[in-house]
Amino acid sequence: ICDGTLFARNIINEPPDVATTLYLEKLGREIAKEYTLKATVLDEHELQKQGLNLIYSVGKGSNYPPRLIILEYNGDSKSKDKTALVGKGITFDTGGINLKPSGSIETMKCDMAGAALVLATIKAAAALKLKKNIIAVVPTCENMISSKAYRPSDIIKAYNGKTVEVS
């Protein structure tokens, strides 16, 4: 449990130029390999193809492409019960075109703490060989300004068919 706690804390404390979407993907793949977990990673093309436009849109202004990381730990083959953990993985959040003010933007690297916690939790569960089935879901992107970024008033269609207007 301590190893999981330190794992999460170390990810959160990394600077945003290290703890990128691709870094989280790498960690997820390493955990999957070490503990023989099923890993699925949707890249920016697959996100668009699957209609996961909200994740894609938030991340499209960044040099680091968005990802959806899914790890599956099956510790109880006799049970069909599954626990899903979802952790927000915004590796840095400038606020898009509506920039965050000084005093709050400096800590936006911590916007991915939920993702770090979910990765650490499934890693700890696998290391402890818990008799649980757990699915870890980490949508990760970096919300940056660029000529490709979404804009206020853009309307983005979500996976469930609903639309979201950016404010």
Side-chain angles (χ1 to χ4, degrees), residues 26-153:
K26 177 179 169 260
L27 290 177
R29 289 186 187 278
E30 287 173 356
I31 293 166
K33 184 176 180 181
E34 181 177 358
Y35 296 101
T36 319
L37 308 181
K38 180 180 178 190
T40 305
V41 178
L42 303 183
D43 66 14
E44 65 275 23
H45 306 293
E46 192 63 27
L47 289 170
Q48 282 185 288
K49 185 178 172 183
Q50 297 280 340
L52 298 167
N53 299 313
L54 296 174
I55 299 169
Y56 173 76
S57 293
V58 171
K60 72 181 184 177
S62 174
N63 288 329
Y64 301 104
R67 295 288 189 259
L68 180 62
I69 305 161
I70 304 165
L71 301 179
E72 296 181 50
Y73 167 70
N74 292 304
D76 187 357
S77 59
K78 295 177 183 174
S79 175
K80 293 187 184 205
D81 291 339
K82 295 184 186 218
T83 300
L85 305 172
V86 181
K88 176 179 159 188
I90 305 297
T91 58
F92 195 82
D93 188 0
T94 64
I97 291 177
N98 293 326
L99 282 174
K100 295 189 183 299
S102 291
S104 65
I105 198 166
E106 295 83 359
T107 60
M108 284 298 102
K109 71 176 193 158
C110 298
D111 230 16
M112 45 65 71
L117 178 62
V118 166
L119 290 174
T121 301
I122 199 162
K123 178 178 168 62
L128 293 168
K129 298 181 176 155
L130 294 184
K131 293 286 186 194
K132 298 284 182 187
N133 299 320
I134 302 170
I135 300 173
V137 181
V138 175
T140 182
C141 48
E142 182 180 58
N143 187 12
M144 295 294 280
I145 297 173
S146 81
S147 61
K148 299 181 291 181
Y150 66 90
R151 300 165 300 273
S153 299

